[in-house]
């Protein structure tokens, strides 16, 4: 609720990723180094227990993985279906297809007429949506608890018998193209975030946007839709999760009845998301015809989610620019008063991922000097590491966010599904916090040194207006000294050699921003119909 | 169909295999009549709506405590019944700046100390305002509940408004004023508020550079003293707390807070709208038209609130309402079309909105007006009425699933003086609405013949389309300044001006920069010449050369047909642009290709 400007600009950047994205930009560490801090605080640290979420799981004979988690506090039930397909699975010439397909999933199936999905859910007193990211496509609804059979019926019918017509395809193509205009093309800064992915990632599976190109959307055919359905929308390529006020036996009976006879399909082709370590292009100027203030983006290619380096970078990123106590906020927005806004973000993927810093300098300030100041601060983190106070902050934020987020049955359903789909272990929802808490100050320091340097960094200047591009292939920004990567530590940190077996990426959406560069594309605006009952935490006009 | 058959065949084959092997055939059941219809709901389950403990301190501060032990969390909200509507007329944005500065320093803590202390316990602390009320909010793990409440009390009651922080905030807010003009939604709200509310304070939704400059530290401090008084506030606590302990702490922190005067509000009435009018905010090159059709409507405490809520649900509250079904699902004009019921303390608005692609701006207006007339003229069907009620009563428990959601409800109740049993009776009140109620409130509050229609979009591209929908069109630029309509649009296709005198500003060689849909730019050269046969022209690009034909000039605008020979592939399209001395801007439209905007300068 700080500063009109920060909020509004952030809102713009995040527009493209409505819905509570499950990103983890984590924060935390439990270390003996801060046990001498404050007696009452370390007592809290020692006694804190994340309230466990029950997890019951089974797999149908057709390969559908099912997760049930009972909670009888409120008579509400959330159902999520996650399919293992996203924009990473798209071939060239068909970018944006996974998302266009997501829209088609609301256009009717054998027993559910066109667009009736919306009606069935609304008329039962529920809310629903679907979203697409690089990693997966999800569908979800929250309903009064006694409407669980309706959700099961709707989800099973479209999994087994989606109806695809030319008319529906044309209509949804239009809706998606308006979505692209609304949330990307017509917005300041957002197109730059899509472009920067093309500078970071070489592999087309990683570099293209989830929304895709207008030309590719135009090119999609009914046959493409049918083929995509056959390949990816099979029970053995999906996870179904039910969270809330229901009886597990009854839910299991319903799931078996409605999903049990949907045939298994051949497993989809494997997707190659491998990347060379280096970024594609280290510097570019992006002309933004709607931006009214210049800005810049720094971006790094980083290891996949749930690797030791990823956890450490996530925490480093948080320390640098997450919130008003962060280093760069205090240094640049406050201290030097050279930027109006600065923020850090992660794009968390199963394969190579990315870290970003986005800043809007004040008019008349030396932008090269601002970037030097950012790199100096990163270097300081990379040589001295986080302080004990910072470690405590990370730890407590992570605890708070972890507990707060799980109030929502939908959030739980989404995160359980994700861990099941990506990692084969929904119980990571209960244990991932500990994985973050286990990251040490020295791991954060080492990761900052090895990844957040100028050797392998994308720097994008965002300039208002429509100028001629000057893609400069220079190695570094003018006026900025090189800051090479430090070599990997001789003795790797404890579990750095391989991914740990019990872990989880669990952080609340409230404090954690979704990745800006790889927006989720929902079926409809997730926040649209809220105006009737304005929240009591007022929005800035 | 093909798909369905092959799928069913697949099921059949698998099923027969299973039978043949005689294993677990029950999951391959072929008798699937149960799929043909939506299954009936299970037995419904009661919702336990928490009953709050309520009390009032001696200084008038109301306190609401809800013990919620589900998770080790607590949320606090201190809410004041004044908002930006209470800004002094000459200082729009004062409440907003004042609340923004609350956590930038207190008598005991610096800005950085506050940020660090909040972060150290992993808590959140923020303040904000809307037109009707202002809140200071805090949340934390319940073990840190006392600490974060202490911070909340400190910033709300003892802010010091340091001069340096004020100056920094002022400077950054000025940048914010520039940044918000990049957003179509802001431009639409700004224009609409001015039109609908006239002299009423709701007309102003943002500070101005001048008002920011005029906000002195003394003014902010005295404003804070007069607005933040306990007898105009309520403190809401929801979470894993014990009521007695919470009350003890609240008394310690807030009990000595001195009572003050509650403000008296006597705001001018909004202008009466007597006819429909169109207001276009010209955003050249805009990818879409943001349409808002609106008029003033009921307040939050109106007895018609529930009929309006149900009417709004039928018409446009969600993805199964009429507007969405029509403009998106049937027509594909937009990503979403909705209505919006914005009920406030003194006045409300009822709006219909969508962001549509430019060429269907007029067509969208047609559908909007059709739906607005229909909800007035025809009684809603029994099915629609039932469905809307089921939606509202069904999503109600979802809203109070989280502490934040529950706290929001209590803030609403207290800020607008809603009945104490509001949550308990909400669903009954929804159920009691009739089709006749809906038609009555629609007739009063949905007024297509008197609405203001605000469109943020490319004026020249929509001018012709919107003409049929209003006799009055006012044009504004993105800075909110009135402009003349003459140069925008109005290019009656029959008017072909190719005389030597009017062509002069266009003739010559122009260096163009074309922006491709991916944001990349490519250089091009436009040549416009006049000879014995009239005007002719060409565009050279890396892709090939394009020739222009049927060049038409109108004021400072031109348009022409264009044929591009892209390495042997012939593409047809149009080009249009406008010239201002040595600068040009415009758009190239090729068939089956997104528009290619360009800018250009005269090549000397």
């Amino acid at each position: 609720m700080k500063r009109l400007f920060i909020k509004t600009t952030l809102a713009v950047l995040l527009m493209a990723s409505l819905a509570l994205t499950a990103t983890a930009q984590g924060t935390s560490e439990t270390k003996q180094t801060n046990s001498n801090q404050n007696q009452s605080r370390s007592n809290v640290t020692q006694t804190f227990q994340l309230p466990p979420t029950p997890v019951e799981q089974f797999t149908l004979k057709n390969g559908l993985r099912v997760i049930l988690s009972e909670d009888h506090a409120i008579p509400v039930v959330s159902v999520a279906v996650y399919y293992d397909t996203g924009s990473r699975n798209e071939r060239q010439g068909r970018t944006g297809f996974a998302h266009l397909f997501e829209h088609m999933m609301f256009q009717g199936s054998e027993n559910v007429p066109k667009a009736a999905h919306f009606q069935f859910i609304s008329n039962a007193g529920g809310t629903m949506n679907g979203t697409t990211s690089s990693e997966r496509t999800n569908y979800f609804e929250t309903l009064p608890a006694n409407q669980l059979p309706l959700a099961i019926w709707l989800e099973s019918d479209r999994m087994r018998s989606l109806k695809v017509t030319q008319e529906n395809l044309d209509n949804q193509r239009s809706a998606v193209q308006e979505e692209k205009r609304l949330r990307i093309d017509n917005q300041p800064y957002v197109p730059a975030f899509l472009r920067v992915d093309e500078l970071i990632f070489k592999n087309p599976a990683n570099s293209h946007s989830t929304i895709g190109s207008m030309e590719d959307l135009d090119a999609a055919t009914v046959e493409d839709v049918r083929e995509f359905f056959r390949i990816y929308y099979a029970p053995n390529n999906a996870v179904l999760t039910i969270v809330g006020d229901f009886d597990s036996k009854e839910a299991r009976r319903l799931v078996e009845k409605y999903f049990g006879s949907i045939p298994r399909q051949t497993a989809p082709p494997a997707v190659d998301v491998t990347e060379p370590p280096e970024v594609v292009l280290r510097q570019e100027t992006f002309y933004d015809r709607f931006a009214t203030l210049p800005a810049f983006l720094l971006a790094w290619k980083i290891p996949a989610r749930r690797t030791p380096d990823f956890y450490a970078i996530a925490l480093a990123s948080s320390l640098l620019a997450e919130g008003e106590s962060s280093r760069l906020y205090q240094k640049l927005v406050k201290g030097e008063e050279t930027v109006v806004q600065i923020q850090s973000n992660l794009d968390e993927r199963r394969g190579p991922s990315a870290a970003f810093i986005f800043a809007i300098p004040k008019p008349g300030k030396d932008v090269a000097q601002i970037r030097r100041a950012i790199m100096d601060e990163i270097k300081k983190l990379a040589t001295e590491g986080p302080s004990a106070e910072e470690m405590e902050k990370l730890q407590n934020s992570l605890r708070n966010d972890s507990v707060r987020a799980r109030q929502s049955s939908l959030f739980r359903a989404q995160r359980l599904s994700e861990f099941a789909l990506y990692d084969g272990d929904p119980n990571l929802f209960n244990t991932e916090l500990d994985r973050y808490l286990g990251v040490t100050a020295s791991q954060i320091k080492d990761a900052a040194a090895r990844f957040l340097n100028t050797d392998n960094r994308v720097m994008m200047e965002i300039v208002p207006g429509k100028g001629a591009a000057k893609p400069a292939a220079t190695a570094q920004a003018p006026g900025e000294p090189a800051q090479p990567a430090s070599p990997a530590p001789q003795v790797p940190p404890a579990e750095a050699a391989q991914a740990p077996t019990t872990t989880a990426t669990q952080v609340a959406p409230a404090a954690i921003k979704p990745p800006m560069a790889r927006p989720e594309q929902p079926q409809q605006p997730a926040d649209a119909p809220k105006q009737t009952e304005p929240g009591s935490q007022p929005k800035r006009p | 169909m093909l798909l369905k058959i092959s799928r069913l065949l697949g099921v059949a084959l698998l099923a027969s295999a299973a039978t043949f092997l005689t294993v677990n055939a029950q999951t391959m059941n072929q008798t699937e009549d149960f799929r043909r219809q939506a299954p009936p709901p299970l037995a419904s389950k009661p919702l336990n709506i928490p009953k709050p403990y309520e009390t009032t301190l001696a200084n008038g501060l109301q306190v609401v405590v809800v013990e919620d032990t589900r998770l080790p969390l607590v949320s606090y909200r201190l809410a004041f019944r004044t908002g930006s509507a209470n800004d002094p007329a000459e200082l729009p944005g004062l409440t907003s700046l004042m609340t923004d500065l609350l956590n930038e320093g207190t008598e005991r803590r610096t800005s950085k100390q506050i940020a660090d202390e909040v972060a150290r316990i992993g808590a959140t602390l923020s303040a904000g305002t809307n037109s009707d009320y202002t809140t200071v909010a805090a949340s934390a793990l319940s073990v840190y509940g006392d600490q974060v409440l202490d911070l909340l009390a400190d910033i709300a009651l003892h802010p010091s408004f340091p001069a340096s922080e004020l100056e920094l905030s002022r400077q950054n807010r000025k940048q914010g004023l520039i940044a918000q003009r990049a957003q179509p939604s802001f431009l639409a709200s700004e224009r609409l508020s001015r039109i609908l509310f006239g002299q009423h304070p709701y007309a102003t939704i943002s500070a101005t550079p001048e008002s920011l400059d005029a906000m002195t530290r003394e003014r902010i401090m005295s404003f804070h003293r007069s607005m933040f008084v306990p007898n105009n506030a309520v403190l809401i606590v929801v979470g894993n707390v014990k009521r007695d302990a919470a009350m003890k702490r609240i008394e310690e922190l807030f009990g000595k807070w001195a009572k003050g005067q509650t403000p008296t509000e006597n705001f001018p009435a909004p202008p009466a709208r007597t006819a429909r009018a169109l207001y276009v905010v010209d955003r050249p090159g805009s990818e879409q038209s943001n349409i808002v059709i609106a008029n003033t409507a009921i307040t939050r405490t109106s007895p018609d609130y529930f009929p309006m809520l149900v009417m709004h649900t039928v018409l446009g509250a969600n993805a199964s309402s009429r507007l969405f079904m029509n403009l998106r699902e049937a027509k594909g004009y937009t990503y979403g079309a909705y209505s919006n019921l914005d009920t406030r303390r003194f006045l409300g608005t009822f709006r219909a909105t969508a962001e549509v692609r430019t060429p269907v701006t007029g067509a969208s207006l047609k559908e909007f007006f059709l739906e607005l007339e229909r909800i007035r003229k025809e009684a809603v069907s029994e099915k629609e009425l039932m469905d809307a009620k089921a939606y509202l009563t069904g999503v109600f428990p979802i809203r109070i699933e989280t502490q934040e959601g529950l706290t929001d409800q209590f803030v609403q109740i207290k800020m607008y003086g809603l009945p104490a049993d509001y949550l308990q009776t909400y669903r009954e009140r929804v159920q009691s609405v009739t089709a006749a109620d809906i038609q009555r409130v629609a007739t009063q509050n949905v007024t297509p013949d008197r609405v203001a229609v605000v469109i943020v979009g490319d004026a020249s591209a929509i001018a012709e389309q919107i003409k049929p929908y209003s006799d009055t069109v006012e044009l504004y630029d993105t800075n909110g300044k009135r402009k003349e309509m003459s140069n925008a649009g109005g290019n009656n296709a029959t008017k072909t001006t190719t005389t030597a005198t009017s062509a002069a500003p266009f003739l010559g060689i122009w260096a163009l920069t074309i922006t491709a849909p991916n944001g990349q730019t490519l250089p091009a050269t436009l040549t416009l010449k006049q000879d014995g046969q009239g005007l002719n022209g060409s565009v050279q690009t890396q892709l090939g050369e394009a020739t222009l034909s049927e060049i038409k000039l109108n004021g400072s605008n031109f348009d022409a047909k264009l044929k591009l020979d892209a390495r042997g592939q012939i593409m047809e399209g149009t080009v249009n642009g406008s010239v201002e001395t040595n600068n040009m801007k415009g758009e190239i439209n090729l068939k089956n290709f997104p528009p290619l905007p360009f800018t250009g300068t005269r090549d000397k």
Side-chain angles (χ1 to χ4, degrees), chain A residues 44 46 51 106 116 223 252 260 264 272 339 351 384 418 424 454 481:
Chain A
V44 167
Q46 284 154 17
F106 293 85
E223 209 32 64
R252 184 166 185 155
R264 178 191 281 273
D272 174 17
V339 310
E384 296 167 20
E418 222 169 77
T454 59

Side-chain angles (χ1 to χ4, degrees), chain B residues 129-173:
Chain B
T129 189
N130 65 16
S131 62
D132 291 346
Y133 54 87
T134 301
T135 63
V136 187
S139 68
L141 292 170
S142 40
V143 286
Y144 295 124
D146 280 353
Q147 288 173 56
V148 82
L149 183 62
D150 180 75
L151 281 156
L152 183 153
D154 196 33
I155 69 163
L157 273 52
H158 311 291
S160 58
F161 301 109
S164 59
E165 298 291 348
L166 166 61
E167 200 43 44
L168 176 59
S169 188
R170 192 199 315 277
Q171 295 312 322
N172 286 346
R173 277 175 168 252

Side-chain angles (χ1 to χ4, degrees), chain B residues 69-368:
Chain B
T69 56
R70 286 175 291 171
L71 288 166
L73 295 172
V74 63
S75 300
Y76 299 98
R77 210 74 66 82
L78 178 62
F80 298 87
R81 289 181 195 85
T82 56
S84 58
N86 302 83
D87 286 346
E90 74 286 4
L91 291 177
L94 183 60
T95 307
S96 175
L97 180 67
M98 184 267 282
T99 52
D100 201 25
L101 288 170
L102 291 176
N103 65 357
E104 298 297 359
T106 68
E107 291 156 19
R108 285 160 48 201
R109 295 174 169 100
T110 64
S111 165
K112 182 160 192 317
Q113 282 170 334
I114 295 167
D116 284 344
E117 279 189 50
V118 171
R120 281 282 287 277
I121 57 173
T124 67
L125 179 65
S126 63
T129 189
N130 65 16
S131 62
D132 291 346
Y133 54 87
T134 301
T135 63
V136 187
S139 68
L141 292 170
S142 40
V143 286
Y144 295 124
D146 280 353
Q147 288 173 56
V148 82
L149 183 62
D150 180 75
L151 281 156
L152 183 153
D154 196 33
I155 69 163
L157 273 52
H158 311 291
S160 58
F161 301 109
S164 59
E165 298 291 348
L166 166 61
E167 200 43 44
L168 176 59
S169 188
R170 192 199 315 277
Q171 295 312 322
N172 286 346
R173 277 175 168 252
K174 283 187 182 172
Q175 295 303 307
L177 298 185
I178 299 170
Q180 70 193 6
R181 301 212 162 271
Q183 292 182 48
S185 57
F186 170 79
L187 298 173
S189 298
E190 177 189 51
R191 179 57 32 210
L192 185 75
S193 303
R194 287 192 185 154
I195 294 158
L196 291 185
F197 296 120
Q199 298 303 307
H200 191 280
Y202 285 175
T204 308
I205 67 162
S206 167
T208 63
E210 296 74 32
S211 73
L212 287 171
D213 279 336
M215 293 175 195
T216 62
R217 178 164 182 259
E218 290 65 37
R219 191 76 179 82
I220 293 168
M221 290 179 82
S222 69
F223 190 67
H224 170 261
R225 271 195 303 276
S226 65
M227 290 296 153
F228 275 28
V229 294
N231 42 321
N232 202 30
V234 58
L235 176 64
I236 295 155
V237 183
V238 177
N240 200 340
V241 293
K242 290 272 175 274
R243 181 221 292 178
D244 293 344
M247 283 311 303
K248 183 164 170 285
R249 190 73 190 132
I250 288 166
E251 185 66 56
E252 286 164 9
L253 290 168
F254 298 92
K256 295 189 189 80
W257 185 10
K259 234 177 165 159
Q261 292 262 302
T262 54
T264 49
E265 285 129 346
N266 188 15
F267 299 137
R273 291 199 62 80
T274 54
R276 185 195 295 173
L278 255 143
Y279 307 85
V280 175
V281 180
D282 188 16
R283 188 171 182 259
S286 189
E287 293 280 345
Q288 292 183 311
S289 296
N290 287 44
I291 300 175
V292 185
I293 301 172
N295 205 346
T296 51
I298 60 161
T299 63
R300 183 64 179 84
T301 47
S302 162
D304 284 339
Y305 180 78
F306 283 93
M308 278 294 282
L309 189 59
V310 180
M311 187 276 289
H312 159 61
T313 305
V314 172
L315 180 65
N318 60 44
S320 65
S321 301
R322 290 177 178 183
L323 291 174
F324 190 95
M325 281 295 150
N326 182 342
L327 278 93
R328 168 164 152 172
E329 290 301 305
K331 302 293 187 310
Y333 292 162
T334 178
Y335 179 52
Y338 300 97
S339 57
N340 180 319
L341 176 61
D342 180 12
T343 55
R344 304 195 212 167
R345 181 170 295 129
F346 303 102
L347 277 168
T349 62
F350 187 70
R351 313 196 281 270
T353 67
E355 299 85 8
V356 305
R357 65 176 178 277
T358 304
V360 296
T361 306
S364 299
L365 289 177
K366 180 176 169 229
E367 298 306 321
F368 268 123

Side-chain angles (χ1 to χ4, degrees), chain B residues 19 44 105 132 150 178 302 306 328 383 404 411 421-422 444 451 457 459 471 524 534 583 592:
Chain B
T19 317
S44 81
D132 291 346
D150 180 75
I178 299 170
S302 162
F306 283 93
R328 168 164 152 172
K383 164 112 176 59
E404 291 79 3
V411 170
D421 62 355
Y422 182 79
Q444 289 162 2
V451 286
D471 297 335
N583 293 302
N592 302 319

Side-chain angles (χ1 to χ4, degrees), chain A residues 327-513:
Chain A
R327 290 183 175 209
L328 292 174
Y329 183 89
Q330 285 296 331
K331 179 174 181 156
L332 299 173
V333 178
K334 291 289 175 137
E336 298 179 7
E337 300 191 4
T338 49
V339 310
V340 183
Q341 173 178 346
I342 188 156
Q343 62 191 67
S344 61
N345 279 88
L346 294 181
D347 181 358
E348 176 185 346
R349 306 186 187 198
R350 285 187 265 178
S353 300
F356 306 91
I357 291 178
F358 171 76
I360 299 183
K362 273 193 182 167
K365 299 292 178 189
D366 179 349
V367 176
Q369 163 55 30
I370 294 169
R371 282 197 290 269
R372 268 201 300 280
I374 292 171
M375 295 313 296
D376 284 350
E377 195 59 49
I378 293 176
K379 188 168 195 173
K380 204 169 146 203
L381 182 64
T383 47
E384 296 167 20
S387 69
E389 287 80 8
E390 284 179 315
M391 295 306 292
E392 184 185 9
K393 172 177 100 169
L394 289 172
Q395 191 173 30
N396 274 329
S397 302
L398 188 61
R399 289 192 183 103
N400 178 61
D401 295 348
S402 299
V403 181
R404 198 156 288 277
R406 57 187 62 207
Q407 294 181 96
S408 152
S409 58
L410 179 59
F411 177 83
R412 277 173 276 159
Q414 292 176 329
R415 297 294 286 174
L416 287 164
S417 303
E418 222 169 77
F419 286 121
L421 191 71
Y422 300 166
D423 309 297
D425 182 8
N427 201 47
L428 290 173
F429 183 66
N430 287 318
T431 57
E432 183 77 340
L433 175 63
D434 289 336
R435 181 60 185 79
Y436 268 104
L437 295 176
V439 177
T440 65
S442 76
Q443 286 169 337
I444 294 173
K445 182 181 83 165
D446 292 340
R450 279 182 294 127
F451 292 96
L452 305 181
N453 51 63
T454 59
D455 283 357
N456 194 27
R457 183 193 71 173
V458 176
M459 200 279 282
M460 179 187 268
E461 296 274 10
I462 304 171
V463 179
K466 323 171 191 179
K470 292 172 282 182
T474 48
Q476 72 192 64
E480 191 188 334
Q483 190 164 308
S486 69
Q490 293 293 317
V491 184
E495 50 313 38
Q498 67 187 62
T501 48
T502 56
T503 342
T505 327
Q506 171 42 42
V507 185
I512 305 304
K513 298 162 203 124

Side-chain angles (χ1 to χ4, degrees), chain B residues 543 564-570:
Chain B
L543 298 172
L564 172 69
D565 181 351
R567 293 167 193 149
Q569 193 192 348
I570 306 295

